Amino acid sequence: MNDAKTTHEVLRQTDPTLPDGSLNLSGNLPPIVADVFEERYRRALSKLMRQEQLSSLVGSHRFTGTENDRRAGSVFVSLRLGLAPDVKRVVVTNGTQSAIDRLFDSIAGRGGVIAAEELTYPAIKPIATRLGIRLCPVRIDGDGIMPDSFSDVCQRERPSAFYTLPTLHNPTTATTTLVRRRAIVDIARLHNVQFIEDDIYSILPLDAPPPFATLAPEISWYILGTAKSLSPGLKVAYVVAPDGVAAGRVFWPGVKSTYWMPAPLNAETTANLVLSGDVKAIIGAVRLEMSYRHELAREILDGIPVTTRPGALNLWVRMPTPGARLEIAKLTQSRNVIVGTGDAFVVGDCLPPEALRIGLGTVLTRDQLSRGLEVLREAYRSVF
């Protein structure tokens, strides 16, 4: 472990500590691999400065993306879809949240129903509330989405869509098996339910099952953002629609009323990173750094029941006693280490899970991560 530590140390350009000096392990960000990212990002920016007429570049909205943007999006999503989709199906957006906002509004709308895993990305809850959409929880276990539960929700609640994080699920890190994915596709087709597939964590593992978008492209809206594999600040996510007509119908009406369009500089720079192939070097560096951080977590938290998987940006730590998650979180906070509880991820009336989400990538260095994990270990052992 010590040898690895000296070969590929990672630094952020921003301080992960909170205003009171606490280390924040509650986030779920990738480590910014500065020694790899900086060179590639500067190269992409330099190309933009040399080749683009800047006044024209920033002088108008990006709308669904230029032809070059959509071509880059097609190449990026092919890392997961296998084949590059027709660029007419690709929409370039201002990050995953804005894409979700448009899709929720268009597919379900006010008074509509969307199914989601019983624990899910917290940001979808205020989006659904603002749009007047009801979220219905689908049960999950260690193998991901439970088809029987999804079937029950479809029959009882008649959702228009299923928002899902099937690969390295946030927060549990579960990945839905291929057998279950096929069963879920059959159920969705039977009940005329569309997929809103948020595949943002899927780039980092090397053995992720194929997305729903490859199993049922005709009912899938596939979202692949850059925030968890490249850098959160790029604020670019690519959406693959079932077809080009659907892409225009869902996104174009929102031009004047929503914020989903990407900033031109971000879109162009990201396109340069993708089309040059430099994204692969950045992703590879993030994978490598996360493997070191996973090894560090295994060493420090040995004996504590931790769930995670290769490529995951977080740990999921379950507690055997009611209320223990809050007690441990309070203890770590008293020592200036902030951890996340499972409460934020709950959909509907489900009880909060007795668990903590521990982010591995947010802190600047492995030394800081070690310190935070040691505080967590001591807090856990003082309770159990």
Side-chain angles (χ1 to χ4, degrees):
M1 183 65 196
N2 290 336
D3 290 341
K5 186 174 180 179
T6 61
T7 60
H8 196 80
E9 189 58 68
V10 172
L11 296 176
R12 278 191 184 277
Q13 300 304 304
T14 54
D15 190 345
T17 55
L18 299 175
D20 64 358
S22 298
L23 274 179
N24 183 11
L25 299 186
S26 68
N28 210 29
L29 302 177
I32 294 182
V33 283
D35 53 337
V36 175
F37 183 87
E38 291 281 332
E39 178 186 351
R40 273 73 179 180
Y41 190 64
R42 289 180 189 277
R43 190 155 62 204
L45 285 172
S46 296
K47 181 180 178 181
L48 184 154
M49 297 292 286
R50 289 194 311 269
Q51 296 184 355
E52 295 291 333
Q53 184 179 357
L54 296 182
S55 57
S56 296
L57 178 67
V58 299
S60 63
H61 293 302
R62 209 68 174 186
F63 297 129
T64 56
T66 65
E67 185 78 11
N68 192 59
D69 291 338
R70 294 194 295 273
R71 184 163 62 92
S74 181
V75 170
F76 189 66
V77 300
S78 72
L79 296 176
R80 282 290 288 136
L81 301 182
L83 298 175
D86 186 334
V87 296
K88 293 179 182 178
R89 296 173 58 199
V90 177
V91 178
V92 187
T93 70
N94 179 36
T96 299
Q97 285 187 27
S98 61
I100 292 169
D101 185 279
R102 282 301 308 137
L103 292 170
F104 274 28
D105 190 24
S106 177
I107 295 173
R110 186 161 297 278
V113 177
I114 289 179
E117 287 104 340
E118 60 187 337
L119 303 174
T120 194
Y121 177 39
I124 75 164
K125 295 191 288 184
I127 290 173
T129 298
R130 179 174 56 80
L131 295 173
I133 292 169
R134 184 164 57 90
L135 298 176
C136 294
V138 176
R139 292 182 60 200
I140 56 175
D141 63 13
D143 289 325
I145 306 158
M146 300 175 69
D148 287 348
S149 177
F150 179 56
S151 179
D152 289 344
V153 168
C154 288
Q155 293 180 52
R156 185 178 65 252
E157 307 291 350
R158 300 187 181 279
S160 302
F162 180 26
Y163 169 80
T164 177
L165 286 148
T167 301
L168 293 185
H169 171 260
N170 182 18
T172 68
T173 77
T175 292
T176 301
T177 65
L178 180 56
V179 170
R180 287 193 178 187
R181 291 182 192 225
R182 287 174 171 153
I184 290 162
V185 163
D186 290 342
I187 295 165
R189 283 176 170 149
L190 178 64
H191 294 281
N192 195 29
V193 175
Q194 298 184 64
F195 290 104
I196 300 174
E197 183 173 12
D198 186 350
D199 214 24
I200 195 166
Y201 295 101
S202 70
I203 293 291
L204 296 179
L206 296 173
D207 58 351
F212 287 118
T214 66
L215 303 175
E218 79 283 2
I219 55 171
S220 293
W221 294 85
Y222 181 77
I223 310 171
L224 189 58
T226 57
K228 307 301 182 181
S229 56
L230 299 179
S231 175
L234 287 173
K235 298 304 295 177
V236 170
Y238 300 106
V239 178
V240 181
D243 55 60
V245 173
R249 182 181 68 250
V250 168
F251 281 90
W252 191 254
V255 166
K256 295 182 178 179
S257 61
T258 64
Y259 54 88
W260 64 266
M261 291 172 290
L265 289 173
N266 287 357
E268 190 72 26
T269 305
T270 305
N272 286 344
L273 286 170
V274 172
L275 295 175
S276 68
D278 282 342
V279 292
K280 294 182 180 179
I282 298 169
I283 291 167
V286 171
R287 282 183 183 136
L288 180 61
E289 175 61 21
M290 286 309 301
S291 71
Y292 296 150
R293 295 191 179 208
H294 274 268
E295 183 181 347
L296 191 63
R298 282 192 296 270
E299 292 175 358
I300 295 173
L301 301 180
D302 184 45
I304 295 175
V306 171
T307 299
T308 192
R309 286 168 175 77
L313 298 178
N314 70 282
L315 313 174
W316 185 238
V317 186
R318 289 195 174 273
M319 312 287 158
T321 306
R325 73 191 189 283
L326 301 177
E327 185 177 358
I328 292 173
K330 185 176 180 179
L331 286 171
T332 63
Q333 185 173 5
S334 71
R335 295 189 56 187
N336 295 325
V337 175
I338 308 300
V339 298
T341 69
D343 302 61
F345 305 93
V346 174
V347 173
D349 297 327
C350 298
L351 292 175
E354 203 59 58
L356 300 173
R357 191 188 75 171
I358 311 298
L360 299 178
T362 307
V363 291
L364 283 165
T365 67
R366 292 178 217 150
D367 286 340
Q368 288 176 320
L369 179 60
S370 294
R371 179 163 66 87
L373 292 176
E374 287 165 359
V375 168
L376 172 64
R377 178 188 62 197
E378 293 171 18
Y380 186 94
R381 290 178 176 173
S382 73
V383 173
F384 299 107

